[in-house]
Amino acid sequence: MSNPLTNLQQCPSPSFVPFLPPSSPLPSTGISVVGPRRRCLRFVTRCVSYGQSSVDNSAAVVERNQIRLGLPSKGRMASDTLDLLKDCQLFVKQVNPRQYVAQIPQLPNTEVWFQRPNDIVRKLLSGDLDLGIVGLDTVTEYGQGNKDLIIIHDALNFGDCRLSLAIPENEMFENVNSLKELAQMPQWTEERPLRVTTGFSYLGPKFMRDNGIKHVIFSIADGALEAAPGMGIADAILDLVSSGTTLKENNLKEIEGGVVLESQAVLVASRRALTEREGALETVHEILERLEAHLKADGQFTVVANMRGTNAEEVAERVLSQPSLSGLQGPTISPVYCKRDGKVSIEYYASVICVPKKALYESVQQLRAIGGSGVLVSPLTYIFDEETPRWSQLLRNLRL
């Protein structure tokens, strides 16, 4: 398969070039992408010229019996992915930690392949993988809008970050706080364009084109991007940001309108695999059900309180008078049977509601205020809907 970073070329010389004028401007934009090498920083750079995307997804689905799920092989994303699957009762069994293939006993027709995130996207497009868990930024950068990639679950609740443009806090940019103000600076001309260092050779230029910003040149680098403006080899950087602490420590600031993409971990698949590979759709259905049930329950608590009342309806009316006690669909009210003087009687009713963690204490206080006692609290593990919403959405997307 061709590299999604289109027409990748080797830089002609290992020597450092502090600034290069536009060498391969994109049509009607003046945006250019270059890749100077540096020896004194942890920069891994390359020259990129842009043409039509060379990603080829025309090949037929390769014959095999196993569904292949690609997972990140290293780092925080890898450990968070395994933790999520474990929470969904999907246990990845790896015989040897040095091996790149593993099994999930709960999905006997599925193989796990540990890969770098960008390779997961590439192998989804080539047909070597069927499913994958990666960041949305990786899918967007390396997928480049390829229609064969379909995002099945867009919010796995980890890997949160944003792809954002950052500029120095020095005198030149002291009063520049928005993308519009940056674009209107008179310094940027065809001869002296805005220099941006980034690892996103597709999303970076696309963002500038979409915002109508001309006279921009990109240098493509991996690692230590925050140092580039201080060394004088870039005017701005475009990089992933989580807390923003690293930017501040290197005297950089984000600007209004400079966020290219909000990202977190997603479950992505090959459309061809879902429609053509036997068993793929059934596997996705089970994974989705487990994911949705766990993620919906995450941060939710079951609260049970005993309340005196004449009947269930009267107790329900009291509970529903408090706005934070309605639960997911409303409270469950059931009789509590007591035995007095040898006779069974109903003096209390148990009210069962589901509340989010942030509203837990307030909900307990409200239950007490309307007569609740013996309040029990327990975390929820799973909430299974009648049908998984994202499953119905997927079938519509696939026109099935």
Side-chain angles (χ1 to χ4, degrees):
M1 184 188 73
S2 301
N3 195 321
L5 293 175
T6 57
N7 303 324
L8 191 64
Q9 299 177 349
Q10 182 65 37
C11 292
S13 170
S15 60
F16 169 58
V17 183
F19 170 73
L20 292 177
S23 56
S24 55
L26 294 170
S28 304
T29 64
I31 299 174
S32 180
V33 185
V34 299
R37 286 188 187 176
R38 282 196 58 80
R39 294 183 180 275
C40 54
L41 262 187
R42 193 169 50 87
F43 277 94
V44 180
T45 59
R46 54 190 178 272
C47 294
V48 182
S49 62
Y50 277 79
Q52 187 175 2
S53 173
S54 60
V55 177
D56 180 14
N57 68 327
S58 60
V61 170
V62 180
E63 289 291 337
R64 50 181 158 78
N65 296 324
Q66 294 289 309
I67 310 301
R68 288 181 177 175
L69 169 64
L71 300 183
S73 56
K74 294 180 181 179
R76 179 68 179 271
M77 182 72 79
S79 58
D80 286 349
T81 299
L82 294 179
D83 288 343
L84 173 63
L85 293 175
K86 183 178 179 180
D87 289 338
C88 296
Q89 300 297 303
L90 294 172
F91 300 97
V92 178
K93 300 295 183 182
Q94 197 174 8
V95 177
N96 186 326
R98 294 181 179 272
Q99 291 181 335
Y100 290 103
V101 64
Q103 306 293 327
I104 299 179
Q106 294 76 24
L107 301 173
N109 67 328
T110 302
E111 288 179 343
V112 170
W113 286 84
F114 293 103
Q115 300 285 297
R116 295 185 303 175
N118 54 349
D119 286 335
I120 290 176
V121 178
R122 290 174 177 140
K123 289 176 181 178
L124 283 169
L125 292 171
S126 69
D128 296 309
L129 292 174
D130 305 309
L131 311 169
I133 294 179
V134 291
L136 179 61
D137 59 291
T138 304
V139 176
T140 311
E141 170 70 15
Y142 292 93
Q144 298 187 16
N146 194 300
K147 295 186 181 300
D148 186 56
L149 292 178
I150 181 168
I151 294 176
I152 301 171
H153 200 300
D154 60 352
L156 297 183
N157 290 356
F158 68 91
D160 296 79
C161 61
R162 58 191 177 275
L163 180 59
S164 187
L165 191 68
I167 60 176
E169 293 183 321
N170 59 27
E171 294 180 1
M172 179 179 176
F173 297 99
E174 184 178 1
N175 297 316
V176 177
N177 296 298
S178 70
L179 182 64
K180 182 179 180 181
E181 292 171 346
L182 178 66
Q184 292 175 345
M185 292 178 68
Q187 286 89 338
W188 320 131
T189 64
E190 186 174 351
E191 291 74 24
R192 185 13 179 130
L194 173 69
R195 301 168 300 165
V196 182
T197 294
T198 186
F200 291 82
S201 59
Y202 170 75
L203 284 174
K206 182 179 183 299
F207 177 72
M208 293 299 183
R209 292 197 305 271
D210 292 346
N211 284 277
I213 301 176
K214 300 180 180 180
H215 308 314
V216 182
I217 187 170
F218 282 86
S219 60
I220 308 304
D222 297 321
L225 269 64
E226 293 84 1
M231 298 186 70
I233 61 175
D235 303 303
I237 68 169
L238 183 66
D239 200 10
L240 293 175
V241 179
S242 295
S243 64
T245 301
T246 304
L247 291 180
K248 292 178 182 178
E249 290 177 348
N250 287 276
N251 300 314
L252 298 173
K253 63 181 179 181
E254 295 179 84
I255 56 176
E256 180 184 348
V259 175
V260 177
L261 181 73
E262 296 281 356
S263 181
Q264 65 174 298
V266 299
L267 175 63
V268 62
S270 161
R271 185 185 298 269
R272 287 174 298 144
L274 295 181
T275 55
E276 299 177 27
R277 190 176 303 290
E278 184 178 355
L281 208 54
E282 291 79 3
T283 298
V284 166
H285 190 196
E286 180 170 348
I287 293 174
L288 259 184
E289 288 232 301
R290 290 172 179 265
L291 286 172
E292 289 276 76
H294 168 67
L295 292 172
K296 188 170 183 177
D298 190 32
Q300 298 282 342
F301 288 80
T302 299
V303 179
V304 183
N306 289 337
M307 303 180 66
R308 289 185 180 274
T310 56
N311 54 58
E313 289 75 14
E314 185 266 327
V315 172
E317 187 173 339
R318 259 191 288 157
V319 173
L320 289 172
S321 69
Q322 305 297 317
S324 66
L325 300 182
S326 59
L328 294 176
Q329 296 172 321
T332 299
I333 309 297
S334 55
V336 177
Y337 295 95
C338 305
K339 192 170 185 179
R340 294 186 182 278
D341 301 326
K343 294 182 179 180
V344 175
S345 62
I346 301 174
E347 297 181 8
Y348 291 89
Y349 288 85
S351 172
V352 183
I353 60 173
C354 177
V355 299
K357 184 177 182 179
K358 62 182 180 180
L360 180 58
Y361 185 72
E362 180 185 359
S363 299
V364 171
Q365 292 297 86
Q366 288 184 2
L367 281 170
R368 286 172 170 171
I370 59 175
S373 63
V375 181
L376 304 178
V377 178
S378 57
L380 276 170
T381 306
Y382 306 102
I383 299 176
F384 286 95
D385 286 318
E386 184 176 351
E387 182 54 86
T388 305
R390 283 182 173 85
W391 172 248
S392 302
Q393 181 181 340
L394 174 62
L395 294 181
R396 289 193 298 270
N397 201 331
L398 295 174
R399 298 181 180 180
L400 296 177

